[in-house]
Amino acid sequence: METISENRCFGGVQGVYAHDSAVTGCKMTFGLFLPQEAEHGSVPLLWYLSGLTCTHENAMTKAGAQAWAADHGIALCFPDTSPRGEGVANDDAYDLGQGAGFYVNATQDPWKPHFQMWDYIAEELPRVVDHNFAIDPERQSITGHSMGGHGALTLAMSLPGRYASVSAFSPIANPTQSDWGRKQLTAYLGSDEEAWKAHDSSLLMLDRGFDGPVLIDQGASDQFLNLLKPEALAHSMAARRQDGTFRMQKGYDHSYFFVSTFMEEHVAFHAEALYAL
Amino acid sequence: METISENRCFGGVQGVYAHDSAVTGCKMTFGLFLPQEAEHGSVPLLWYLSGLTCTHENAMTKAGAQAWAADHGIALCFPDTSPRGEGVANDDAYDLGQGAGFYVNATQDPWKPHFQMWDYIAEELPRVVDHNFAIDPERQSITGHSMGGHGALTLAMSLPGRYASVSAFSPIANPTQSDWGRKQLTAYLGSDEEAWKAHDSSLLMLDRGFDGPVLIDQGASDQFLNLLKPEALAHSMAARRQDGTFRMQKGYDHSYFFVSTFMEEHVAFHAEALYAL
């Protein structure tokens, strides 16, 4: 593992690291914030999965999460959103290929060789982080924004026992029924829609739900509401009787100004679940 | 005045606006955060001046200031750091020309026609903001980072009565004695060093001080300590018996991870002064 940078931040360290990933077959970069408490012992870890076009850097510099993570003594991990580099397939569209991994394991060419983001986030990167830093693998939670909210929700519901809590900011909530989803799931997983169902949080919520608390924030003035389809997830949560909160936030859009506004409450929500373990 | 964007943020609005500046002779862009309280009356205003290479955008997205400004009901203004555009003089170096106005009125060609950032920040932009938004011109304070800390300190000491308080993050504190200063002051103001003295906060502090409280934060692991020369300002503050606090923050560098860490305390410091008026 290679250290790209480390900056003192809110009493802890905001680092950026790179490693050769066996799962994605390329070098992967991630951000990791360790609070001061990590100098003396292992700390809980909150994953933050980013949205379309993002790298590890966007949320790390714009979401304002470190302030609250430091308050609660929690580490933050900011993975990249896809494999990258020469030899990695790509597309001219912003919503397919590099920067748009959708947190799935591609089964179709040309994506299959590198686009294995599900296994990367679920298996390989947790091992790398656990091996190199003072985090407690028994205390993990997950959140994300937009495509990353989709990733957080689908991972959380598919890996029971892994995460103490899950939250999302304006997630892509029903990708099997959206242009943010159908195109990408066809490309990565093929045209058999049965294979898509494992990657739709509204369907997973109806089918199995999450074994812990759920918090969803959605801006009512989000310019992508028709693509995000929050109503499908809200319906599924209520129909499932899911322990959780769905909030429609008046006046807010899809930007990091929205995410940063509600970050304090999301980190506090996860801290409560993590420290109850 | 043209609205570039407006995003709901911490209950208020983070806007970006552009206007034709008579002072700099070009279109200028600035960010303005208005807290929710501005819907019902005028609010105090805190200026944030940015550093080398920055535009209006850097602090607006990375400093995390809106959270605290919203808490205190204070507006934030994020000006650009120089004139820009075709026909505006520039230099290949990152620290001269566009992005590096140094908050002075240039008297030398080729800079003189557009590089009038002192008058822009001191006179024109305050009028534009006061005319268009619900801010209270009688309650203003100022802060900044690096070159912007230099600008905040020199403006505050040169305009007694204008600002209730001044603070700075890792300011360029002694530019008449630094490679971050001598080159630029020569270019913009000419080789007569007498003209430079009005733009050196360590000299101004010794000569006149500031008629209110001062707060300075400096990272002890700042990679630019030799260029910033914080020791000159600390000496001048103590020699002047200036009402103020100078803090050397162990382990912190020059980045926005440092700025965001201490932003809460800077906004609270200004709020105390602004609400005492």
Side-chain angles (χ1 to χ4, degrees), chain B residues 69-97:
Chain B
D71 274 359
H72 292 285
I74 291 174
L76 300 167
C77 189
F78 304 98
D80 203 346
T81 57
S82 78
R84 295 183 191 273
E86 286 181 47
V88 176
N90 204 0
D91 190 276
D92 288 340
Y94 75 96
D95 59 359
L96 188 67

Side-chain angles (χ1 to χ4, degrees), chain B residues 40-99:
Chain B
H40 309 293
S42 64
V43 297
L45 175 61
L46 175 60
W47 295 86
Y48 181 100
L49 304 186
S50 285
L52 290 166
T53 76
C54 289
T55 69
H56 68 283
E57 192 178 10
N58 301 60
M60 189 181 92
T61 57
K62 299 200 295 184
Q66 294 92 346
W68 318 117
D71 274 359
H72 292 285
I74 291 174
L76 300 167
C77 189
F78 304 98
D80 203 346
T81 57
S82 78
R84 295 183 191 273
E86 286 181 47
V88 176
N90 204 0
D91 190 276
D92 288 340
Y94 75 96
D95 59 359
L96 188 67
Q98 296 185 33

Side-chain angles (χ1 to χ4, degrees), chain B residues 182-228:
Chain B
R182 296 186 62 84
K183 164 183 165 180
Q184 294 84 357
L185 296 171
T186 302
Y188 297 143
L189 304 180
S191 55
D192 178 1
E193 299 194 17
E194 276 302 308
W196 303 359
K197 292 183 175 175
H199 297 285
D200 184 304
S201 60
S202 294
L203 298 179
L204 288 170
M205 180 58 74
L206 264 185
D207 184 49
R208 59 178 81 166
F210 176 67
D211 55 339
V214 176
L215 173 61
I216 309 291
D217 271 313
Q218 171 63 56
S221 297
D222 193 312
Q223 57 270 49
F224 302 114
L225 279 167
N226 290 342
L227 292 162
L228 300 168

Side-chain angles (χ1 to χ4, degrees), chain A residues 12 22 33 72 96 120 133 152 170 176 180 199 207 239 244 259 263 275:
Chain A
F33 171 73
H72 291 287
L96 188 67
Y120 177 69
F133 301 98
S170 42
T176 63
W180 272 356
H199 297 284
D207 183 50
V259 173
M263 184 57 77
Y275 285 112

Side-chain angles (χ1 to χ4, degrees), chain B residues 5 12 142 209:
Chain B
S5 63
I142 191 165

Side-chain angles (χ1 to χ4, degrees), chain A residues 93-131:
Chain A
Y94 75 96
D95 59 358
L96 188 67
Q98 296 185 33
F102 262 76
Y103 305 103
V104 302
N105 292 333
T107 59
Q108 307 296 307
D109 286 326
W111 310 108
K112 189 177 172 184
H114 299 284
F115 283 74
Q116 302 293 320
M117 287 300 291
W118 180 278
D119 282 354
Y120 177 69
I121 301 293
E123 303 299 335
E124 188 182 38
L125 187 54
R127 285 198 303 271
V128 169
V129 170
D130 183 29
H131 184 71

